[in-house]
Amino acid sequence: MSVLEVQQLSYQSGAEQILTRVTFSVSKGEYLAISGPSGGGKSTLLKLIASLLTPTGGKILFNGKDQKAYPVTGYRRRVSYCFQQPTLFGETVRNNTEFPFTIRNEVFSEDKVRDLLRLVDLPVSFLDKPIIELSGGERQRVALIRNLIFLPEVLLLDEVTVGLDEESKRIVQQLVKNVHQQGVTILQVSHDEEDLQQAGGVLKMEGGRLAHGAIGR
Ligand SMILES: Nc1ncnc2c1ncn2[C@@H]1O[C@H](COP(=O)(O)OP(=O)(O)O)[C@@H](O)[C@H]1O
Ligand SMILES: [Mg+2]
């Protein structure tokens, strides 16, 4: 069963045609990478799937139903987008990890967050660390675990390993693998050879179009 069906998806901004009739589907539990030159439309595609942008043509089906039929907040919890340059807010790591509980009216589970911190190799003492003291790799890891406190059905990752040191990159890759093993469907934009190897297939995007026959390896 397809968890996502992208049908003839187009996106235009002003006079600029950014995506042109992109069609593909993603099976439940699949791990797909998206690669291709800068400016090819990869981030735009993920943002459309995340419902952060509205298509100007075509449609996206999620679990067989038009994306537009879902209430947007609920949809974004089920299809979660992790930004290329993550923004952390508040003052501490705790503030950021409390947020997913707050918006769901749930009690903060420090145990759950401690487990996730351990999983990305950050000390538990980081909970009360000011975010201004975090390195780039540490920020990216905090942003990721913030997305994973409540597992989405589909995780959209946009160049999350770019600019990370080898150690942070390895940890993030391990985390993504772990999340995939828990049954989460993953779409990951990346140029990193190891990320592409880890995925079960690679889509190539260029000039706002999907390169023909690019699925699989
Ligand atoms: N909101 C926008 N308005 C106009 N042009 C945009 C907008 N967003 C992206 N673009 C343009 O669309 C093209 C694809 O961008 P993007 O999806 O970010 O590509 P990629 O992630 O593959 O580098 C680029 O030429 C970019 O400049
Ligand atoms: Mg991009």
Side-chain angles (χ1 to χ4, degrees), residues 31-116:
Y31 181 171
L32 213 52
I34 304 174
S35 184
S38 180
K42 303 180 297 298
S43 295
T44 304
L45 175 64
L46 287 198
K47 286 177 190 164
L48 286 162
I49 295 173
S51 178
L52 298 171
L53 291 174
T54 307
T56 53
K59 61 181 168 188
I60 297 164
L61 304 185
F62 172 56
N63 289 331
K65 215 165 82 175
D66 198 319
Q67 184 190 59
K68 286 186 286 201
Y70 293 89
V72 73
T73 324
Y75 180 87
R76 287 188 192 147
R77 284 179 197 167
R78 299 173 70 184
V79 182
S80 171
Y81 175 65
C82 223
F83 284 85
Q84 202 161 347
Q85 269 120 20
T87 42
L88 299 180
F89 43 74
E91 286 177 359
T92 63
V93 171
R94 182 184 293 274
N95 295 150
N96 283 272
T97 52
E98 274 170 346
F99 183 70
F101 294 93
T102 311
I103 58 170
R104 289 171 175 84
N105 289 317
E106 288 207 21
V107 179
F108 178 64
S109 163
E110 190 160 319
D111 285 348
K112 198 170 186 180
V113 174
R114 282 168 181 259
D115 286 347
L116 282 164

